Amino acid sequence: MSTLFEPYQLRSLTIPNRMWMAPMDQYSAAPEGPTTGLPADWHLAHQGARAAGGAGLILTEGTGVSPAGRTTPFDLGIWTDEQIPGFQRITGLLTSLGTVPGIQLSHSGRKGSTDRQWLGGEPLGPERGGWQVVGPSAIAAGEGHPVPAALTHTDIDQIVGQFAAAARRVAAAGYKVVELLAGHGYLIHQFLSPHSNRRTDDYGGSFENRTRFALRVVDAVRAVWPDGLPLFVRVSATDWLTENPEDVREGWTVDDTVRLARVLKEHGVDLLNVSSGGLVPDAKIAVGPGYQVPFAARLRAEAGIPVAAVGMITEPDQAAKILADSEADAILMGRELLRRPSWPLDAAKALGGEVRVPPQYRRAYPR
C-alpha cells in the first residue's frame, strides 16, 4: 500500500494521511460591516466537502493578519479576537470529520487592494474599498498597479507583531497547523527577492538582510505557537528568471531557497510547502504535470527538511510515485480537489489503500 495512506507525524501532531488540501483563496468573506474577514457558509461547505472526501489536512486559505494584509476586501482575516468564533466553526467541523485543520497566515504587501480574481483582479481605489499598499521598496507589483509605500522599521516591527497576534488567535480557534505565506509574490517573498527588494538598510542587499524579515516573522510566530504543533512555511522556490537564459533580471533562485530552508529548519520550521513563481508577472514558467516536484525533492535532499509537493499533481499513481521516490513527504493539492472533492477516496479505490469514510458515506465505499 502506498505511503499516501499512512499517517504522518510532526511534533506531537498525527495527520491521518499524506493527501492534503492546499490553501486556495475563495474571495468570499463579507467585505464590510462587523463581520469583515469572517468565514462564511461557503467556507464550511467548501472545506467540509473535502474533509468528507478524505483529506488528511486542510489548510484554510491565506488569511490576512491585518486589514491591509489582505489581497482583496473579500479575503479572510484574523486581526481581532472578535473573529475567532467564526474560525472555530471551521475547525470544529473539520475535526469532527477526522481532518486536521490548518490555516495559512499572510500579508499581501504590494499585491493587496485588488478586486476578486474572477473579476480580473484589478487594483481597487479607496472609493471601492481599496487601501494604500506597502512593500519593502517603492516598486509596483506590475503594470497598472500602484506604487507601494516603502515600509519603515516601525512598520516592519508592527507587521511582525501582527503575525504573532494572528498565530495566537488561530491557536485559540482550534487550528493545529499554521503556515506562513512566504511565496507567490506576497510580502515575505517581496523582501526575499532582489527583484522587489531594493532596500539599502539592514532589510535589503545581502541574502542575510533580505531574509531578516522572514526569520523575524518565523521566530515571532514560533514563540507563541504551541510547541507541540507544527509550523509550515510556503515558499516560492524560484522567481523563474534564472531558468530563462534570455532573462537577465535578478531574482530569487532555487539555490537561495535551499539556503533559506536550512536556516528555517534551525528556527523551528517543520515543513516547507514548495511552490514557485508569483512575483514577476511576465516570468516564463515551464508548466507541466508535477513541474514543481523537483524543487521539493531538492529541498528535502539538500536541506534535510520535510516538504510537501504541489502543482499539477492530479493522478493517484503520480502522487504515490512522488512519495515512493522520496521526492516529498506529502502531497498538497489545489485545483484537482476543486474538481474532485473525494480525490483521496478515489485514490484509495485505485491503489488499494484505506481512507476514513464518514458513516453517512460508507454505503458508497464498500470494503
Side-chain angles (χ1 to χ4, degrees):
M1 185 175 66
S2 169
T3 53
L4 270 175
F5 310 102
E6 293 182 0
Y8 190 58
Q9 183 87 20
L10 285 168
R11 297 193 180 235
S12 64
L13 179 70
T14 300
I15 303 172
N17 60 51
R18 317 291 183 96
M19 297 168 286
W20 305 346
M21 188 175 89
M24 292 176 283
D25 291 343
Q26 299 295 294
Y27 310 109
S28 298
E32 58 188 1
T35 56
T36 299
L38 283 180
D41 289 345
W42 172 262
H43 297 90
L44 288 174
H46 167 61
Q47 295 193 28
R50 279 79 196 166
L57 165 70
I58 289 179
L59 289 169
T60 293
E61 65 199 71
T63 300
V65 299
S66 69
R70 297 170 296 169
T71 306
T72 81
F74 312 97
D75 286 6
L76 297 182
I78 191 157
W79 56 80
T80 176
D81 289 353
E82 284 68 33
Q83 293 163 318
I84 293 174
F87 288 91
Q88 288 173 327
R89 298 175 68 208
I90 290 180
T91 61
L93 174 63
L94 299 189
T95 301
S96 73
L97 290 168
T99 295
V100 173
I103 190 169
Q104 183 185 81
L105 297 179
S106 66
H107 194 296
S108 59
R110 69 181 193 175
K111 288 186 75 171
S113 190
T114 65
D115 205 348
R116 290 180 171 104
Q117 184 186 54
W118 59 76
L119 295 177
E122 66 178 10
L124 298 178
E127 73 285 355
R128 298 178 61 194
W131 56 88
Q132 170 66 57
V133 296
V134 298
S137 303
I139 303 171
E143 186 177 351
H145 286 258
V147 175
L151 291 164
T152 67
H153 279 219
T154 299
D155 296 331
I156 291 170
D157 291 345
Q158 182 180 36
I159 293 172
V160 171
Q162 289 168 345
F163 270 99
R168 288 193 189 95
R169 294 186 184 106
V170 299
Y175 284 100
K176 302 303 181 184
V177 173
V178 65
E179 176 176 279
L180 303 177
L181 179 52
H184 290 180
Y186 291 88
L187 184 61
I188 297 177
H189 187 184
Q190 292 162 29
F191 270 90
L192 294 175
S193 177
H195 187 274
S196 49
N197 183 349
R198 310 288 175 82
R199 298 175 74 102
T200 57
D201 62 2
D202 52 357
Y203 287 95
S206 68
F207 174 89
E208 289 77 12
N209 283 355
R210 286 184 285 109
T211 59
R212 190 181 307 278
F213 176 64
L215 295 178
R216 285 195 62 195
V217 172
V218 166
D219 289 346
V221 169
R222 186 73 265 181
V224 301
W225 187 244
D227 188 61
L229 296 180
L231 169 61
F232 292 8
V233 173
R234 184 165 209 175
V235 295
S236 279
T238 174
D239 288 341
W240 287 99
L241 297 180
T242 56
E243 288 76 12
N244 179 8
E246 298 177 357
D247 200 326
V248 298
R249 292 174 293 179
E250 187 179 14
W252 182 255
T253 70
V254 185
D255 288 343
D256 292 329
T257 307
V258 171
R259 187 176 175 186
L260 175 63
R262 294 182 179 126
V263 181
L264 290 175
K265 182 180 178 182
E266 294 173 355
H267 284 250
V269 172
D270 299 287
L271 181 141
L272 296 182
N273 172 356
V274 186
S275 189
S276 68
L279 184 81
V280 184
D282 61 345
K284 294 183 179 180
I285 301 178
V287 176
Y291 71 105
Q292 296 175 141
V293 173
F295 301 141
R298 184 175 169 192
L299 293 181
R300 188 177 191 269
E302 297 185 25
I305 190 169
V307 299
V310 66
M312 295 187 72
I313 300 170
T314 60
E315 299 304 324
D317 56 352
Q318 176 195 17
K321 187 175 188 302
I322 291 167
L323 299 188
D325 291 346
S326 299
E327 293 181 298
D329 299 279
I331 304 297
L332 271 161
M333 290 178 289
R335 291 176 178 86
E336 192 61 22
L337 276 175
L338 297 184
R339 290 184 284 264
R340 298 160 65 186
S342 296
W343 191 97
L345 291 170
D346 295 341
K349 183 176 181 180
L351 300 176
E354 293 286 338
V355 174
R356 163 201 44 79
V357 180
Q360 298 92 331
Y361 286 6
R362 283 177 188 159
R363 71 187 76 176
Y365 295 90
R367 290 288 187 264

